[in-house]
Coordinates of all heavy atoms in Angstrom, one line a residue:
L16 N 102.7 112.4 137.2 CA 101.3 112.4 137.4 C 100.8 113.8 137.2 O 101.3 114.8 137.7 CB 101.0 112.0 138.9 CG 99.6 112.1 139.4 CD1 98.7 111.2 138.6 CD2 99.5 111.9 140.9
T17 N 99.8 113.9 136.4 CA 99.1 115.1 136.0 C 97.7 115.1 136.4 O 97.0 114.0 136.0 CB 99.3 115.5 134.5 OG1 100.6 115.6 134.3 CG2 98.6 116.8 134.2
I18 N 97.2 116.0 137.0 CA 95.8 116.0 137.5 C 95.1 117.2 136.8 O 95.6 118.3 136.9 CB 95.6 116.0 139.0 CG1 96.3 114.8 139.6 CG2 94.1 116.2 139.3 CD1 96.3 114.9 141.1
L19 N 94.0 117.0 136.1 CA 93.2 118.0 135.4 C 91.9 118.1 136.1 O 91.2 117.2 136.3 CB 93.0 117.7 134.0 CG 92.2 118.6 133.1 CD1 92.9 119.9 133.1 CD2 92.0 118.1 131.8
V20 N 91.6 119.3 136.6 CA 90.3 119.6 137.4 C 89.5 120.7 136.5 O 90.1 121.7 136.4 CB 90.5 120.0 138.8 CG1 89.2 120.3 139.5 CG2 91.2 118.9 139.5
D21 N 88.3 120.4 136.2 CA 87.4 121.4 135.5 C 86.9 122.4 136.5 O 86.0 122.2 137.3 CB 86.3 120.7 134.8 CG 85.4 121.6 134.1 OD1 85.7 122.8 134.0 OD2 84.3 121.2 133.6
L22 N 87.6 123.6 136.6 CA 87.2 124.6 137.5 C 86.0 125.4 137.1 O 85.5 126.3 137.7 CB 88.4 125.5 137.8 CG 89.6 124.8 138.4 CD1 90.7 125.8 138.6 CD2 89.2 124.2 139.7
T23 N 85.5 125.1 135.8 CA 84.2 125.8 135.4 C 83.0 125.1 136.1 O 82.0 125.7 136.1 CB 84.1 125.7 133.9 OG1 84.0 124.4 133.4 CG2 85.2 126.5 133.2
A24 N 83.2 123.8 136.5 CA 82.2 123.2 137.2 C 82.1 123.6 138.7 O 83.1 124.0 139.3 CB 82.3 121.6 137.2
S25 N 81.0 123.6 139.3 CA 80.8 123.9 140.7 C 81.5 122.9 141.5 O 81.7 121.8 141.2 CB 79.4 124.1 141.1 OG 78.8 122.7 141.2
S26 N 81.8 123.2 142.8 CA 82.4 122.4 143.7 C 81.5 121.1 143.9 O 82.1 120.0 144.0 CB 82.7 123.1 145.1 OG 83.3 122.2 146.0
A27 N 80.2 121.3 144.0 CA 79.3 120.2 144.2 C 79.3 119.2 143.0 O 79.3 117.9 143.1 CB 78.0 120.7 144.5
E28 N 79.4 119.8 141.8 CA 79.4 119.0 140.5 C 80.7 118.2 140.5 O 80.7 117.0 140.2 CB 79.4 119.9 139.3 CG 78.0 120.5 139.1 CD 78.0 121.4 138.0 OE1 78.8 122.3 138.0 OE2 77.1 121.4 137.1
R29 N 81.9 118.8 140.8 CA 83.1 118.1 140.8 C 83.1 117.0 141.9 O 83.5 115.8 141.6 CB 84.3 119.1 141.1 CG 84.6 120.0 140.0 CD 86.0 120.7 140.2 NE 86.1 121.4 141.4 CZ 85.7 122.6 141.6 NH1 85.1 123.4 140.7 NH2 85.8 123.2 142.8
W30 N 82.6 117.2 143.0 CA 82.5 116.3 144.1 C 81.7 114.9 143.7 O 82.1 113.8 143.9 CB 81.9 116.8 145.4 CG 82.0 115.9 146.6 CD1 81.0 115.1 147.0 CD2 83.1 115.6 147.3 NE1 81.4 114.4 148.1 CE2 82.7 114.7 148.4 CE3 84.4 116.1 147.4 CZ2 83.5 114.2 149.2 CZ3 85.3 115.6 148.3 CH2 84.9 114.7 149.3
R31 N 80.6 115.3 143.0 CA 79.8 114.1 142.5 C 80.4 113.2 141.4 O 80.3 112.1 141.3 CB 78.4 114.7 141.9 CG 77.4 115.1 143.0 CD 76.0 115.3 142.4 NE 76.1 116.4 141.3 CZ 75.9 117.6 141.6 NH1 75.7 118.0 142.9 NH2 75.9 118.5 140.7
G32 N 81.4 113.9 140.6 CA 82.1 113.3 139.6 C 83.3 112.4 140.1 O 83.8 111.6 139.4
Y33 N 83.7 112.6 141.4 CA 84.8 111.9 141.9 C 84.4 110.5 142.3 O 83.3 110.2 142.7 CB 85.4 112.6 143.2 CG 86.0 113.9 142.9 CD1 86.0 114.9 144.0 CD2 86.6 114.2 141.7 CE1 86.5 116.2 143.7 CE2 87.2 115.5 141.5 CZ 87.1 116.4 142.6 OH 87.7 117.7 142.3
S34 N 85.3 109.6 142.2 CA 85.1 108.2 142.7 C 85.0 108.1 144.1 O 85.4 109.1 144.8 CB 86.2 107.3 142.1 OG 87.4 107.5 142.8
K35 N 84.5 107.1 144.7 CA 84.4 106.9 146.1 C 85.8 107.0 146.8 O 85.9 107.7 147.8 CB 83.7 105.5 146.4 CG 83.5 105.2 147.9 CD 82.8 103.9 148.2 CE 82.6 103.7 149.6 NZ 81.9 102.4 149.9
S36 N 86.8 106.3 146.1 CA 88.1 106.3 146.8 C 88.7 107.8 146.7 O 89.5 108.2 147.7 CB 89.0 105.3 146.0 OG 89.3 105.7 144.8
T37 N 88.4 108.6 145.7 CA 88.9 109.9 145.6 C 88.3 110.8 146.7 O 88.9 111.6 147.3 CB 88.7 110.5 144.3 OG1 89.4 109.7 143.3 CG2 89.1 111.9 144.1
R38 N 87.0 110.6 146.8 CA 86.4 111.4 147.8 C 86.8 111.1 149.3 O 87.1 111.9 150.1 CB 84.7 111.1 147.9 CG 84.1 111.7 146.7 CD 82.6 111.7 146.7 NE 82.1 110.5 146.9 CZ 81.6 109.6 146.0 NH1 81.7 109.9 144.7 NH2 81.1 108.5 146.3
Y39 N 87.1 109.8 149.5 CA 87.7 109.3 150.8 C 89.2 110.0 151.0 O 89.4 110.5 152.1 CB 87.9 107.8 150.9 CG 88.5 107.3 152.0 CD1 87.9 107.2 153.3 CD2 90.0 107.0 152.0 CE1 88.6 106.7 154.4 CE2 90.6 106.4 153.1 CZ 89.9 106.4 154.3 OH 90.5 105.9 155.5
S40 N 90.0 110.1 150.0 CA 91.2 110.6 150.0 C 91.1 112.0 150.3 O 91.9 112.6 151.1 CB 92.0 110.3 148.7 OG 92.3 109.0 148.5
I41 N 90.2 112.7 149.7 CA 90.1 114.2 150.0 C 89.6 114.5 151.4 O 90.2 115.3 152.1 CB 89.1 114.8 149.0 CG1 89.7 114.8 147.5 CG2 88.7 116.2 149.3 CD1 88.6 115.1 146.5
R42 N 88.6 113.6 151.9 CA 88.2 113.8 153.3 C 89.4 113.6 154.2 O 89.7 114.3 155.2 CB 87.1 112.9 153.6 CG 85.7 113.3 153.1 CD 84.6 112.6 153.7 NE 84.7 111.1 153.4 CZ 84.2 110.5 152.3 NH1 83.6 111.3 151.3 NH2 84.3 109.3 152.1
Q43 N 90.2 112.6 153.9 CA 91.4 112.3 154.9 C 92.4 113.5 154.8 O 93.0 113.9 155.8 CB 92.1 111.0 154.4 CG 91.3 109.8 154.7 CD 90.8 109.7 156.2 OE1 91.7 109.6 157.0 NE2 89.5 109.5 156.4
A44 N 92.7 114.0 153.6 CA 93.6 115.1 153.5 C 93.1 116.3 154.2 O 93.9 117.0 154.8 CB 93.8 115.4 151.9
R45 N 91.8 116.6 154.2 CA 91.2 117.7 154.9 C 91.5 117.5 156.4 O 91.6 118.6 157.1 CB 89.8 117.9 154.6 CG 89.5 118.4 153.2 CD 88.0 118.6 153.0 NE 87.7 119.2 151.7 CZ 86.6 119.1 151.0 NH1 85.5 118.5 151.5 NH2 86.5 119.7 149.9
K46 N 91.4 116.3 156.9 CA 91.6 116.2 158.3 C 93.1 116.2 158.8 O 93.4 116.7 159.8 CB 91.1 114.7 158.7 CG 89.7 114.5 158.6 CD 89.3 113.1 159.0 CE 87.9 112.7 158.8 NZ 87.6 111.3 159.1
R47 N 94.0 115.9 157.8 CA 95.4 115.7 158.2 C 96.3 116.9 157.7 O 97.4 117.0 158.3 CB 95.9 114.4 157.7 CG 95.2 113.2 158.3 CD 95.7 112.0 157.7 NE 95.0 110.8 158.2 CZ 95.0 109.6 157.8 NH1 95.8 109.3 156.9 NH2 94.3 108.7 158.4
L48 N 95.9 117.6 156.7 CA 96.8 118.5 156.2 C 96.4 119.9 156.5 O 95.2 120.2 156.7 CB 96.9 118.4 154.6 CG 97.3 117.1 154.1 CD1 97.1 117.1 152.5 CD2 98.7 116.8 154.4
T49 N 97.3 120.8 156.6 CA 97.1 122.2 156.7 C 97.8 123.1 155.6 O 98.8 122.5 155.1 CB 97.6 122.8 158.1 OG1 99.0 122.6 158.2 CG2 96.9 122.2 159.3
F50 N 97.3 124.1 155.2 CA 97.9 124.9 154.1 C 98.0 126.3 154.5 O 97.2 126.8 155.4 CB 96.9 124.9 152.9 CG 96.7 123.6 152.3 CD1 95.7 122.7 152.7 CD2 97.6 123.1 151.3 CE1 95.6 121.4 152.1 CE2 97.4 121.8 150.7 CZ 96.4 121.0 151.1
R51 N 99.0 126.9 154.1 CA 99.3 128.3 154.4 C 100.0 128.9 153.2 O 100.5 128.3 152.3 CB 100.2 128.5 155.6 CG 101.6 128.0 155.4 CD 102.4 128.4 156.6 NE 103.8 127.9 156.5 CZ 104.7 128.6 155.7 NH1 104.5 129.8 155.1 NH2 105.9 128.2 155.7
R52 N 99.8 130.3 153.1 CA 100.3 131.0 152.0 C 101.9 131.2 152.3 O 102.3 131.5 153.4 CB 99.8 132.4 151.9 CG 100.1 133.1 150.6 CD 99.2 134.3 150.5 NE 99.5 135.0 149.2 CZ 98.8 135.9 148.7 NH1 97.7 136.4 149.3 NH2 99.2 136.5 147.6
L53 N 102.7 131.0 151.3 CA 104.1 131.3 151.4 C 104.4 132.7 151.4 O 103.7 133.5 150.6 CB 104.8 130.6 150.2 CG 105.0 129.1 150.2 CD1 105.8 128.7 149.0 CD2 105.9 128.7 151.4
A54 N 105.2 133.2 152.2 CA 105.7 134.6 152.3 C 106.9 134.9 151.4 O 107.7 134.0 151.2 CB 105.9 135.0 153.8
P55 N 107.1 136.2 151.0 CA 108.3 136.5 150.4 C 109.4 136.1 151.3 O 109.4 136.2 152.5 CB 108.2 138.1 150.2 CG 106.8 138.2 150.1 CD 106.2 137.3 151.1
G56 N 110.5 135.6 150.7 CA 111.6 135.1 151.5 C 111.6 133.5 151.7 O 112.6 133.0 152.3
E57 N 110.5 132.9 151.4 CA 110.5 131.5 151.7 C 110.7 130.6 150.4 O 110.5 129.5 150.3 CB 109.1 131.1 152.2 CG 108.9 131.6 153.6 CD 107.6 131.1 154.3 OE1 106.5 131.4 153.8 OE2 107.7 130.2 155.2
G58 N 111.2 131.3 149.3 CA 111.5 130.6 148.1 C 112.5 129.5 148.2 O 112.4 128.5 147.5
A59 N 113.4 129.7 149.0 CA 114.5 128.6 149.2 C 113.8 127.3 149.8 O 114.1 126.2 149.4 CB 115.5 129.1 150.1
M60 N 112.9 127.5 150.7 CA 112.2 126.4 151.3 C 111.3 125.7 150.1 O 111.4 124.5 150.0 CB 111.3 126.7 152.4 CG 110.5 125.6 153.1 SD 108.9 125.1 152.4 CE 108.0 126.5 152.6
F61 N 110.6 126.4 149.3 CA 109.8 125.9 148.2 C 110.8 125.2 147.3 O 110.5 124.1 146.7 CB 109.0 126.9 147.6 CG 108.1 126.4 146.4 CD1 107.0 125.7 146.7 CD2 108.6 126.5 145.2 CE1 106.2 125.2 145.7 CE2 107.9 126.0 144.1 CZ 106.6 125.3 144.3
Q62 N 111.9 125.8 147.0 CA 112.8 125.3 146.0 C 113.4 124.0 146.4 O 113.5 123.1 145.6 CB 114.0 126.3 145.6 CG 114.9 125.8 144.6 CD 115.5 127.0 143.7 OE1 115.6 128.0 144.2 NE2 116.0 126.7 142.6
G63 N 113.7 123.8 147.7 CA 114.1 122.6 148.2 C 113.1 121.4 147.9 O 113.5 120.4 147.6
C64 N 111.9 121.7 148.2 CA 110.8 120.7 148.0 C 110.7 120.4 146.4 O 110.7 119.2 146.0 CB 109.5 121.2 148.4 SG 109.3 121.3 150.2
Y65 N 110.8 121.5 145.6 CA 110.7 121.4 144.2 C 111.8 120.5 143.6 O 111.6 119.6 142.9 CB 110.6 122.8 143.6 CG 110.5 122.9 142.1 CD1 109.4 122.8 141.4 CD2 111.6 123.0 141.3 CE1 109.2 122.7 140.1 CE2 111.7 123.1 139.9 CZ 110.3 122.9 139.3 OH 110.3 123.0 137.9
D66 N 113.0 120.9 144.1 CA 114.2 120.3 143.5 C 114.2 118.7 144.0 O 114.6 117.8 143.2 CB 115.5 120.9 144.0 CG 115.7 122.2 143.3 OD1 115.1 122.5 142.4 OD2 116.6 123.0 143.8
E67 N 113.7 118.5 145.2 CA 113.8 117.1 145.7 C 112.7 116.3 144.8 O 113.0 115.1 144.5 CB 113.2 117.1 147.1 CG 113.2 115.7 147.8 CD 112.7 115.8 149.2 OE1 113.3 116.6 150.0 OE2 111.8 115.1 149.6
G68 N 111.6 116.9 144.5 CA 110.7 116.1 143.5 C 111.3 115.9 142.2 O 111.2 114.8 141.7
L69 N 112.0 116.8 141.7 CA 112.7 116.7 140.4 C 113.7 115.6 140.5 O 113.8 114.7 139.6 CB 113.3 118.0 139.9 CG 112.5 119.1 139.5 CD1 113.2 120.4 139.2 CD2 111.5 118.8 138.4
A70 N 114.5 115.6 141.5 CA 115.6 114.6 141.6 C 114.9 113.1 141.8 O 115.5 112.2 141.2 CB 116.5 114.8 142.9
R71 N 113.9 113.1 142.6 CA 113.1 111.8 142.8 C 112.7 111.2 141.4 O 112.7 110.0 141.2 CB 112.0 111.9 143.8 CG 111.4 110.6 144.2 CD 110.3 110.8 145.2 NE 109.4 111.9 145.0 CZ 109.4 113.1 145.6 NH1 110.2 113.2 146.6 NH2 108.4 114.0 145.4
N72 N 112.3 112.1 140.5 CA 111.7 111.7 139.2 C 112.8 111.8 138.1 O 112.5 111.6 137.0 CB 110.5 112.6 138.8 CG 109.4 112.2 139.8 OD1 108.8 111.2 139.7 ND2 109.0 113.2 140.6
Q73 N 114.0 112.0 138.6 CA 115.2 112.0 137.6 C 115.0 113.0 136.5 O 115.1 112.7 135.3 CB 115.5 110.6 137.1 CG 115.9 109.6 138.2 CD 116.0 108.2 137.7 OE1 115.7 107.9 136.6 NE2 116.5 107.4 138.6
A74 N 114.6 114.2 136.7 CA 114.1 115.2 135.8 C 115.5 115.6 135.1 O 116.5 115.7 135.8 CB 113.4 116.3 136.4
E75 N 115.3 116.2 134.0 CA 116.4 116.7 133.2 C 116.7 118.2 133.8 O 115.9 118.8 134.5 CB 116.0 116.9 131.7 CG 115.9 115.5 131.0 CD 115.4 115.7 129.6 OE1 115.8 116.7 128.9 OE2 114.8 114.7 129.1
R76 N 118.0 118.6 133.6 CA 118.5 119.8 134.2 C 117.7 121.0 133.8 O 117.6 122.0 134.6 CB 119.9 120.1 133.9 CG 120.9 119.1 134.5 CD 121.0 119.0 135.9 NE 121.0 120.3 136.6 CZ 120.6 120.4 137.9 NH1 120.3 119.3 138.7 NH2 120.6 121.5 138.6
H77 N 117.0 121.1 132.7 CA 116.4 122.3 132.2 C 115.0 122.5 133.0 O 114.5 123.5 133.0 CB 116.1 122.3 130.7 CG 115.1 121.3 130.2 ND1 115.5 120.0 129.9 CD2 113.8 121.3 130.1 CE1 114.4 119.3 129.5 NE2 113.4 120.0 129.7
Y78 N 114.6 121.5 133.9 CA 113.5 121.8 134.7 C 113.8 122.5 136.1 O 113.0 122.9 136.8 CB 112.8 120.4 135.1 CG 112.1 119.8 133.9 CD1 112.6 118.8 133.2 CD2 110.8 120.3 133.5 CE1 111.9 118.3 132.1 CE2 110.2 119.9 132.3 CZ 110.8 118.8 131.7 OH 110.1 118.3 130.6
Y79 N 115.1 122.5 136.4 CA 115.6 123.3 137.6 C 115.7 124.7 137.4 O 115.9 125.2 136.2 CB 116.9 122.7 137.9 CG 116.9 121.2 138.5 CD1 116.9 120.2 137.7 CD2 117.0 121.0 140.0 CE1 116.8 118.9 138.1 CE2 116.9 119.7 140.4 CZ 116.8 118.7 139.5 OH 116.8 117.4 140.0
F80 N 115.5 125.5 138.4 CA 115.5 126.9 138.4 C 116.7 127.5 139.2 O 117.1 126.8 140.2 CB 114.2 127.5 138.9 CG 113.1 127.3 138.0 CD1 112.2 126.3 138.3 CD2 112.9 128.1 136.9 CE1 111.1 126.0 137.4 CE2 111.8 127.9 136.0 CZ 110.9 126.8 136.4
P81 N 117.3 128.6 138.8 CA 118.5 129.1 139.6 C 118.0 129.5 141.0 O 116.9 129.9 141.3 CB 119.0 130.2 138.8 CG 117.8 130.6 138.0 CD 117.0 129.5 137.7
P82 N 119.0 129.6 141.9 CA 118.7 130.1 143.3 C 118.1 131.6 143.1 O 118.5 132.4 142.3 CB 120.1 130.2 144.0 CG 120.8 129.1 143.2 CD 120.4 129.2 141.8
G83 N 117.1 131.8 144.0 CA 116.4 133.1 144.0 C 115.2 133.3 143.0 O 114.5 134.2 143.1
Y84 N 115.1 132.2 142.2 CA 114.0 132.3 141.2 C 112.6 132.4 141.9 O 111.8 133.2 141.6 CB 114.1 131.1 140.3 CG 112.9 131.0 139.4 CD1 113.0 131.7 138.1 CD2 111.8 130.2 139.5 CE1 111.9 131.7 137.2 CE2 110.8 130.2 138.6 CZ 110.9 130.9 137.5 OH 109.8 130.9 136.6
F85 N 112.5 131.5 142.9 CA 111.1 131.4 143.6 C 111.0 132.6 144.5 O 109.8 133.0 144.8 CB 111.0 130.0 144.3 CG 110.8 128.9 143.3 CD1 111.8 128.0 143.1 CD2 109.6 128.7 142.6 CE1 111.8 126.9 142.2 CE2 109.5 127.7 141.7 CZ 110.6 126.8 141.4
D86 N 112.0 133.1 145.1 CA 112.0 134.3 146.0 C 111.4 135.5 145.1 O 110.6 136.3 145.6 CB 113.3 134.7 146.5 CG 113.6 133.8 147.9 OD1 112.6 133.5 148.5 OD2 114.7 133.4 148.1
A87 N 111.9 135.6 143.9 CA 111.5 136.7 143.0 C 109.9 136.6 142.7 O 109.2 137.5 142.7 CB 112.2 136.6 141.7
I88 N 109.5 135.3 142.5 CA 108.1 135.1 142.2 C 107.2 135.4 143.4 O 106.2 136.1 143.3 CB 107.8 133.7 141.8 CG1 108.4 133.4 140.3 CG2 106.3 133.4 141.7 CD1 108.4 132.0 139.8
L89 N 107.6 135.0 144.6 CA 106.9 135.3 145.8 C 106.9 136.6 146.2 O 105.9 137.1 146.8 CB 107.5 134.4 147.0 CG 107.3 132.9 146.9 CD1 108.1 132.2 148.0 CD2 105.8 132.4 146.9
A90 N 107.8 137.4 145.7 CA 107.8 138.8 146.0 C 106.9 139.7 145.1 O 106.6 140.8 145.3 CB 109.2 139.4 145.9
A91 N 106.4 139.0 144.0 CA 105.6 139.7 143.0 C 104.2 139.9 143.6 O 103.7 139.2 144.4 CB 105.4 138.9 141.7
D92 N 103.6 141.1 143.2 CA 102.3 141.5 143.7 C 101.2 140.5 143.4 O 100.2 140.2 144.1 CB 101.9 142.9 143.2 CG 102.7 144.0 143.8 OD1 103.3 143.8 144.9 OD2 102.7 145.0 143.2
W93 N 101.4 139.8 142.2 CA 100.4 139.0 141.7 C 100.5 137.5 142.2 O 99.6 136.6 142.0 CB 100.4 138.9 140.2 CG 101.8 138.7 139.6 CD1 102.6 139.7 139.1 CD2 102.5 137.4 139.4 NE1 103.8 139.1 138.8 CE2 103.8 137.7 139.0 CE3 102.2 136.1 139.8 CZ2 104.7 136.7 138.7 CZ3 103.1 135.1 139.5 CH2 104.4 135.5 139.0
A94 N 101.6 137.2 143.0 CA 101.9 135.8 143.4 C 101.0 135.4 144.6 O 100.8 136.2 145.5 CB 103.3 135.7 143.7
A95 N 100.4 134.2 144.5 CA 99.7 133.6 145.7 C 100.1 132.2 145.6 O 99.5 131.4 144.9 CB 98.2 133.8 145.5
T96 N 101.0 131.7 146.4 CA 101.5 130.4 146.4 C 101.2 129.7 147.8 O 101.6 130.4 148.8 CB 103.0 130.3 146.2 OG1 103.3 131.0 144.9 CG2 103.6 129.0 146.0
W97 N 100.7 128.6 147.8 CA 100.2 127.9 149.0 C 100.9 126.6 149.1 O 101.2 125.9 148.1 CB 98.7 127.6 149.0 CG 98.0 128.9 148.9 CD1 97.7 129.7 147.8 CD2 97.3 129.6 150.0 NE1 97.0 130.7 148.2 CE2 96.7 130.7 149.4 CE3 97.2 129.2 151.3 CZ2 96.0 131.6 150.3 CZ3 96.5 130.1 152.2 CH2 95.9 131.3 151.6
V98 N 101.3 126.2 150.4 CA 101.9 124.9 150.6 C 101.1 124.3 151.8 O 100.4 124.9 152.5 CB 103.4 125.0 151.1 CG1 104.2 125.4 149.9 CG2 103.6 125.9 152.2

């Protein structure tokens, strides 16, 4: 599943373009989900989720990253990763 969102449009414009069921799903997600920024050192946790998704979708081996890959990204000054 790939989702493309036009980020050049305002939030209000995007909202108006969503179907009724999509707006409902977004409202439900806002009520039930919380998001936080991943800290350096949490790469293994993210990698576990990432690898689980790859396995579930029977992804080829070249989509997997070596241990420590995500920790290196999270330690970068430019990184902002949210879960």
Side-chain angles (χ1 to χ4, degrees):
L16 173 64
T17 300
I18 299 172
L19 178 65
V20 177
D21 181 4
L22 297 178
T23 62
S25 71
S26 179
E28 289 173 310
R29 287 192 308 272
W30 187 258
R31 285 192 299 273
Y33 295 150
S34 68
K35 183 178 180 179
S36 63
T37 298
R38 290 191 305 267
Y39 175 79
S40 294
I41 292 169
R42 283 192 298 273
Q43 293 303 305
R45 286 179 175 162
K46 290 178 188 176
R47 298 177 183 173
L48 299 176
T49 58
F50 295 91
R51 68 173 180 82
R52 190 172 184 169
L53 284 177
E57 291 188 295
M60 183 272 297
F61 180 82
Q62 185 153 18
C64 295
Y65 179 83
D66 289 349
E67 185 178 305
L69 291 178
R71 186 174 50 251
N72 290 293
Q73 300 174 351
E75 296 179 21
R76 291 300 318 159
H77 67 270
Y78 288 104
Y79 288 80
F80 293 96
Y84 177 83
F85 293 106
D86 278 323
I88 290 176
L89 292 173
D92 292 337
W93 48 263
T96 305
W97 297 80
V98 292

